[in-house]
Amino acid sequence: MTREEFRKLVENGPVILDGATGTNLQQAGMPVGVCPEQWIIDHAQVMIDLQRAYVEAGTQILLAPTFTANRIKLEEYGLQDDLEKMNRRLVAISKEAAEGKAYVAGDITMTGQQLFPMGELQFEELVEVYKEQIRILADAGVDLLIVETMMSLQESRAAVLAAKETCNLPILVSMTYNEDGRTLYGTDPATAIVVLQSLGADAVGMNCSTGPKEMLEPIRQTMEYANVPVLAKPNAGLPELENEVTVYKTTPEEFAEVGAKLVEEGVSLIGGCCGTTPAHIKALAERVRGMKAHIPEYKGRRLLTSERKTVELELDGSFQVIGERINPTGKKKLQAELREGNLNLVREMARSQEENGAAILDINMGMNGIDEKQMMLNTIYEVTYTVDCPLCIDSSHIDIIEAALRVYPGRALINSISLEKEKFEKLLPIAKKYGAMFILLPLSDEGLPKDMEEKRSIVRTILDAALDLGMHREDIVVDGLVATVGANPNAALECFDTIHYCKEELGLATVCGLSNISFGLPNRPYANAAFLTMAIARGLTMAIANPSQELLMNAAFASDLLLNKKEADIRYIERMNRLAEQKEAAGENTAPNSAPVSVNHPVYDCVLKGNKGNILTEVKVALSAGEQPEEIINGHLIPAINEVGVLFDKQKYFLPQLIASANTMQMAIEYLEPMIQKEEDSKPMATIVIATVEGDIHDIGKNLVALMLRNYGYRVLDLGKDVAADIIVNTAMKENAQIIALSALMTTTMMRMRDVVELRNERGCTSRVIIGGAAITPSFSDEIGADGYSADAAEAVKLVERLLAE
């Protein structure tokens, strides 16, 4: 199937996808703990019968059961050497079931390993894992590819890049969102659709985790930004326990009715996930038959993203600042740290710029004495997990820009592309491939333009070339090319002319570097601020500047207010209130151009901000000042991690920040523990046995809970993943564990939690059992007789404290 054929199929839709595989196969006898792909091969007729029933129900696209048939997953069963044979056979089974009446999609998902820097798996390694499976699937004759049940936007990017670099098949991407409307890693639906459609996905949507009603709102959020078709595969509601069996109570009729509402909201490919059956798909197909397919039109929005945040640039919207500080030029301290491989100052600069109002952060590592490419990559990893701002990739080297775009888990801004032959010819296709926006710099091989006409000509030439590549004018931000007013009295006027021309005649956004205008003048901040306010009035979209310059930032907010931009009054008042609070907290009238002062203990700050580079230094400083190890732990470390939990609950922090803070605290704890003198009669902390239940090989959440509990001083015995009930209970009894903590991601394995509870009761084990996982609910915890449920790691700590206190 070509991309054009896929588009035509959707235009004649809504396209009906299939329903659940795992829950239906489990009912057909597939036991927990086996490799599902191998079981399907050994029981091929069961799969053929199920998929034929889906086709008869109206399914137009079947998902081949290759879901976890990648090298990393198969290695857990010792089947990695059978990867090609298994994928080919699984595709053949679906083709036999389809009998030419439905398309067959190669199905791909997460590997279960975390990407660097949160885990050990490198991005390029993951791309190769996906490429290996995709080559086999394409050669086996699948019609298209679907990447589904994805919790990580970065892993989804890896799969899309692998597909684009391997074959020309259409590729669909489906994320899975928690009840809070974000993925495990903090990505919201708007950010996901922006990144993935920009990268070249042919359809984007969501599956699993929720029922159809709960999927309506995230679908609305997706549709607001969608330029490509949107898919939905909801569960048949949430799983419930009935007569000791996990059931989904949404009937086919109820499922179909809400499915029609999803189509009304704009979904053009629809099917079912966990708990759905051929009866659900039949009712759905009949209900949406004749409904008009919704094909999103290009919305013309200027959107940049990180993994967790989307920033929109509007020609008449609020003025935005690109923070300029992460650039070693003229910064001796930063240069010295970079030569040592130290990124502490980079992290501090990232945080302070975001706190001071920067919407985007420019990243430039151009200096001698370092490997600039590797330092750029290291910095992207650090900054991405430190702040939520989208990034601007700034380098004079094409290979460094591409390497950065490849690993950046969002939609970046390139700084910059000029008409210089090499950059012009090579960087435009790179921007297109990675779905990036770019700053258009009006320079050519001859250097600066001689006059305004040449400047305009360069802008038009680059614009036309970008449009010919399939990019849009909304992907481009023109640099006003600010000269020095001391050398050219018309410098400001020429920049204003460029801003007006680009905005009013070409419909292009603009940017400029502010500091050039005042070079060589005394009291430069005043000239910069005056220039900025005039440029904003002429239509300047954003500027590259230092957001800690209070005069400059306040002038920008005031300019938006006076120009009556949308909600500018609220933004201005909020900023003034925040500045007043910072000054009050600092206990002084903070001078202009200074950054906010932290009033917290440095050890506390390190944990709160996940500053692994400085934590041991600050702990040593505290010790040398006379603080005892216990005082540091109880007075700084624990309060800080508690505050991190509060921020996580409020969705101001997400999984990356939570892990960074927990790891930072762990470093401090490991350093301090040997210094703590244990009293002979002191009561030891509780022992906790933690495991992912039998048949489930997902352990990201479990690992984080274990880390957090260790940081609070508990003795944690981590048994790993896919652990049998008898091993869990035996270990708890042998080690006198007060708590057994169980994790399960899949609905097909959650019942193994009940096995542990029943075995605990049968053997007289006194351990309290707590449970958690994506599909787990408080009611399920009550139904199986567990002692508590937690939704995340921070809540698990509170639950353990409460149970032990009881």
Side-chain angles (χ1 to χ4, degrees), residues 735-787:
E735 300 292 338
N736 295 315
Q738 285 89 340
I739 301 288
I740 295 173
L742 303 176
S743 174
L745 178 70
M746 302 184 297
T747 57
T748 53
T749 59
M750 56 194 287
M751 289 308 299
R752 303 287 73 75
M753 292 176 162
R754 184 192 63 180
D755 296 346
V756 176
V757 173
E758 290 179 348
L759 192 60
R760 174 201 65 172
N761 298 340
E762 179 184 314
R763 295 186 179 176
C765 175
T766 58
S767 304
R768 312 291 292 276
V769 176
I770 64 174
I771 65 174
I776 309 303
T777 62
S779 61
F780 178 76
S781 173
D782 294 339
E783 288 167 359
I784 67 171
D787 298 289

Side-chain angles (χ1 to χ4, degrees), residues 691-702:
T692 303
V693 296
E694 185 175 12
D696 203 313
I697 54 177
H698 301 86
D699 63 357
I700 294 173
K702 182 265 298 177

Side-chain angles (χ1 to χ4, degrees), residues 457-535:
S457 175
I458 292 173
V459 171
R460 290 194 301 268
T461 300
I462 299 175
L463 169 62
D464 290 343
L467 296 178
D468 288 343
L469 276 175
M471 300 182 74
H472 301 92
R473 63 183 66 244
E474 290 79 17
D475 300 328
I476 303 169
V477 182
V478 178
D479 191 324
L481 211 59
V482 180
T484 301
V485 74
N488 176 8
N490 290 318
L493 298 175
E494 290 172 358
C495 185
F496 298 156
D497 181 83
T498 302
I499 293 168
H500 182 272
Y501 170 71
C502 289
K503 181 189 177 204
E504 301 301 334
E505 297 190 34
L506 300 180
L508 297 176
T510 51
V511 65
C512 66
L514 290 179
S515 57
N516 283 353
I517 195 70
S518 63
F519 184 77
L521 297 177
N523 294 321
R524 294 178 64 186
Y526 297 107
N528 292 343
F531 172 69
L532 176 62
T533 58
M534 296 170 73

